[in-house]
Amino acid sequence: MKDRLPAPLVSLLHEAGELAEQHRVRVYAVGGFVRDLLLGVTNLDVDLVVEGNGIAFARTFARKRQARVTVHERFGTAVVTLEDGFKFDVATARTESYDSPAALPTVKQGSIKEDLARRDFTINTLAISLNAPRFGEVVDDDGGRRDLQNKSIRVLHPLSFIEDPTRVFRAVRFEQRLGFRLDAETATLMKEEATRDAIQRLSPARLSKEMILVLSERQPRTVLARLADFDLLRCIHPELKWSPELARLLKDVEETLTWHDRLARDRLIRQWVVYHLALMDSLPTPAVQETLSRFTFPRGQTRRTLWVTQEGPRLLRTLNQRTTPSEVFRLLRDLPDETLLFFMAKIQSESEQQKISTLFTPESATPVLKGNDLKAMGLKPGPVYQRVLDRLLDARLDGEVTTEADEREFVARLRSSASSADLS
Ligand code: CTP
């Protein structure tokens, strides 16, 4: 841990262990945090499980560190957010039983062993003891370390997918993210689950959450391709099929997002929305409508997606006819970044892409001169200012002016030219 985690985080984990010892409970780091730690992958989202009252432990820990704590009584969980930005999710160790497939489980307090035994894949069942005398000891009852080494995704028991069908999506996500492989028996169980109805009966909320997670992975294209191997794209819509065209569009989205990440990373976007637009693009409109009415995406997003699939083709055709960057800018300036990125991925012409890319670099789309400068140049304040600034913006976008001196000259020309009539 000392080699792979920031020193302040290691001391926080030590402190949690000492506190647990004082309060006679046992505390463990678990799940993805431990998996990634052993793989050497950066993951600072710490999940703690307490044998005992997890919420009480979280409250005491937060008080001691003067940290913020958010409690979810109903789930027996809490989130402690520490001043230096670290975040601990704290849960009470529990056992779960399922009354019927795809239903939510009944939960009772339990031991760490029981807590780990209810999890999805062996690689997620590893825990690290934090209590002072056994700090750093790995708990590995289900062969998690062996499977990490073999790069294998393996369920703990044959009913795993039946108990929780969302695990089919998780299996493929982990497989592709980590470069692992489903073990043979797990793949067989998954094929069986994929043909069952239960997967189609998942609630819209759970299915939507899984879709967003799939489309938020580093490379959704490979995850979607693998879902297609199991005929699981039909969970999105029965008409959604894997095709060379879809694969290519997803690859183009990938490249566009890499571009965005390099050049405009301070403009936060929701990657999943761009990929979702690409998926919807390969469906006919009625199928898009059916998909959107089934999923529980935020309402505004649903409306925007429908708009893009209906209006996008027309807009892209218009874009083809508009020649100047300023025309393109005015046509697209009010669209969300995700839509623009989708359009960039969708169109093949590099010069068209470049015109859209201007919308991500506002510095190249803002005149140097402001209202005050126009006033100093003797222009009478009024609505004319907006018109002059608009003309200046176009001139800048189209490369007619680049420096402040150019802009001043441009305004002077504008005032004295015949077109000054439009400025009054
Ligand atoms: N889990 C499970 N079955 C599910 C969802 C979660 O068994 N359907 C368990 C897994 O053991 C997982 C833990 O709950 O390790 C926490 O879930 P989550 O935060 O989704 O998983 P991570 O492994 O942390 O995944 P990620 O790296 O994607 O955050």
Side-chain angles (χ1 to χ4, degrees):
M1 280 202 263
K2 263 195 277 165
D3 294 342
R4 293 188 176 171
L5 295 176
L9 180 55
V10 178
S11 9
L12 280 171
L13 294 174
H14 268 293
E15 257 182 61
E18 280 157 19
L19 192 69
E21 202 58 19
Q22 284 163 22
H23 288 263
R24 296 174 192 284
V25 292
R26 288 194 186 287
V27 65
Y28 300 84
V30 295
F33 171 75
V34 178
R35 177 196 69 220
D36 291 342
L37 179 66
L38 294 177
L39 286 174
V41 173
T42 309
N43 177 353
L44 303 180
D45 287 336
V46 183
D47 279 320
L48 298 183
V49 163
V50 179
E51 276 184 330
N53 187 332
I55 292 182
F57 178 79
R59 284 206 166 107
T60 315
F61 186 57
R63 203 174 318 118
K64 185 156 177 261
R65 293 290 312 199
Q66 283 160 347
R68 198 154 49 84
V69 62
T70 315
V71 170
H72 306 284
E73 291 284 353
R74 215 156 69 85
F75 300 106
T77 58
V79 182
V80 180
T81 311
L82 295 128
E83 230 175 32
D84 36 11
F86 295 114
K87 194 174 73 90
F88 285 9
D89 278 313
V90 186
T92 303
R94 57 199 176 163
T95 64
E96 282 178 358
S97 54
Y98 292 79
D99 299 330
S100 73
L104 287 175
T106 315
V107 180
K108 289 202 307 277
Q109 195 164 320
S111 66
I112 184 80
K113 244 182 184 345
E114 288 169 320
D115 193 281
L116 298 174
R118 74 190 166 83
R119 289 172 185 252
D120 48 4
F121 310 111
T122 57
I123 58 164
N124 288 337
T125 61
L126 292 158
I128 295 180
S129 170
L130 299 183
N131 278 61
R134 292 171 50 207
F135 185 86
E137 253 178 53
V138 177
V139 180
D140 179 12
D141 288 342
D142 298 287
R145 266 187 299 196
R146 175 203 60 208
D147 285 337
L148 277 184
Q149 232 155 27
N150 296 341
K151 297 179 177 286
S152 188
I153 308 287
R154 183 195 304 270
V155 286
L156 272 66
H157 57 84
L159 294 180
S160 188
F161 290 121
I162 293 180
E163 283 178 355
D164 181 352
T166 63
R167 288 176 175 166
V168 300
F169 301 105
R170 294 176 61 82
V172 175
R173 277 203 293 121
F174 289 126
E175 189 194 50
Q176 297 305 310
R177 185 200 303 171
L178 302 173
F180 282 23
R181 206 69 191 156
L182 294 178
D183 107 287
E185 206 187 324
T186 300
T188 306
L189 292 168
M190 201 163 126
K191 270 192 207 119
E192 286 169 18
E193 181 58 32
T195 61
R196 263 190 261 274
D197 278 356
I199 193 105
Q200 296 288 22
R201 284 206 309 268
L202 274 174
S203 73
R206 292 184 83 196
L207 193 57
S208 305
K209 183 172 158 241
E210 290 307 317
M211 271 312 120
I212 292 178
L213 288 172
V214 164
L215 301 181
S216 303
E217 284 291 331
R218 199 168 45 81
Q219 235 179 17
R221 179 173 51 94
T222 63
V223 183
L224 291 163
R226 194 76 170 116
L227 286 175
D229 287 346
F230 289 91
D231 193 21
L232 283 168
L233 289 185
R234 72 185 209 293
C235 292
I236 303 175
H237 193 276
E239 284 176 55
L240 184 64
K241 300 277 183 266
W242 189 253
S243 66
E245 293 74 40
L246 178 58
R248 168 148 169 218
L249 180 56
L250 293 171
K251 181 102 180 97
D252 288 338
V253 169
E254 215 167 282
E255 281 165 13
T256 308
L257 290 173
T258 308
W259 169 84
H260 177 267
D261 196 38
R262 241 180 320 117
L263 267 112
R265 65 176 341 159
D266 52 323
R267 280 171 74 147
L268 284 187
I269 54 140
R270 287 166 307 157
Q271 169 192 303
W272 73 266
V273 172
V274 190
Y275 278 108
H276 190 251
L277 287 172
L279 289 181
M280 294 301 101
D281 184 70
S282 63
L283 285 174
T285 305
V288 173
Q289 280 164 333
E290 278 161 28
T291 309
L292 291 173
S293 64
R294 244 180 76 234
F295 282 75
T296 56
F297 297 139
R299 188 167 306 170
Q301 189 49 50
T302 300
R303 198 172 19 81
R304 281 192 291 274
T305 304
L306 200 58
W307 184 86
V308 174
T309 52
Q310 288 174 341
E311 301 296 323
R314 195 184 48 81
L315 198 70
L316 288 179
R317 273 196 304 278
T318 318
L319 208 61
N320 244 325
Q321 294 147 11
R322 306 276 165 126
T323 44
T324 64
S326 60
E327 281 175 315
V328 172
F329 184 86
R330 297 206 180 280
L331 197 63
L332 302 179
R333 68 190 307 177
D334 295 327
L335 297 181
D337 283 1
E338 287 86 353
T339 306
L340 297 176
L341 289 167
F342 167 66
F343 285 160
M344 276 180 79
K346 176 85 182 153
I347 53 178
Q348 293 302 315
S349 137
E350 231 173 84
S351 67
E352 303 287 318
Q353 285 169 340
Q354 211 151 18
K355 284 180 210 158
I356 304 184
S357 73
T358 321
L359 285 119
F360 288 94
T361 48
E363 59 284 2
S364 64
T366 317
V368 180
L369 298 184
K370 306 277 173 269
N372 277 344
D373 302 303
L374 301 185
K375 197 168 171 188
M377 289 173 80
L379 248 81
K380 234 166 87 195
V384 68
Y385 274 33
Q386 197 49 54
R387 289 202 287 278
V388 173
L389 291 173
D390 278 353
R391 298 280 284 270
L392 258 183
L393 173 60
D394 287 354
R396 180 161 278 277
L397 286 165
D398 296 336
E400 290 166 34
V401 300
T402 46
T403 62
E404 181 177 339
D406 291 347
E407 289 194 5
R408 287 184 181 279
E409 209 177 299
F410 182 87
V411 174
R413 258 201 331 267
L414 212 53
R415 290 179 72 190
S416 62
S417 75
S419 66
S420 64
D422 339 325
L423 301 181
S424 50

